[in-house]
Amino acid sequence: MNNWGIPQWLEKEVKERDKLCVYCGIKMIEKTPPNGSGKTVATWEHIINDASIITHENIARCCFACNSSKGIKKLSDWIKSDYCKKNGINKNN
């Protein structure tokens, strides 16, 4: 089990499913390369910001940049942010 309490079977399933950031669609990497940027590193995401909701629908992987931008905001509020507008992220993605 990881730091977020996600069971190993779900972690494996989500890692296989989410090769691209669920928000911006970039291909993610597992670790920051030496002297490289960490913006594309895969992170765990709770779509609904409630760590107790550990379901296939609520657990996803997104890039560090999107996860940092979203933070603890509600998805519906974050989608309206300048970050999302700049990166072409909207409710239809």
Side-chain angles (χ1 to χ4, degrees):
M1 198 170 292
N2 62 29
N3 292 343
W4 294 104
I6 301 167
Q8 188 174 5
W9 66 267
L10 182 56
E11 182 177 333
K12 182 178 184 243
E13 187 177 304
V14 172
K15 280 184 175 183
E16 289 173 4
R17 179 191 71 194
D18 299 342
K19 302 288 186 197
L20 305 177
C21 174
V22 295
Y23 297 125
C24 71
I26 65 161
K27 185 175 181 180
M28 297 180 292
I29 59 176
E30 289 300 317
K31 294 181 181 177
T32 304
N35 302 317
S37 170
K39 293 190 325 184
T40 62
V41 172
T43 63
W44 291 105
E45 168 67 342
H46 290 82
I47 305 295
I48 298 170
N49 285 328
D50 184 339
S52 70
I53 304 173
I54 302 175
T55 64
H56 184 265
E57 297 79 20
N58 195 50
I59 302 296
R61 303 253 289 170
C62 69
C63 70
F64 181 83
C66 285
N67 204 340
S68 294
S69 173
K70 183 175 177 259
I72 60 169
K73 298 175 193 81
K74 290 170 101 178
L75 182 60
S76 58
D77 293 335
W78 180 65
I79 289 290
K80 300 172 192 169
S81 72
D82 289 339
Y83 175 90
C84 288
K85 289 175 188 168
K86 177 181 156 197
N87 290 288
I89 300 167
N90 58 58
K91 64 182 180 178
N92 298 321
N93 290 48

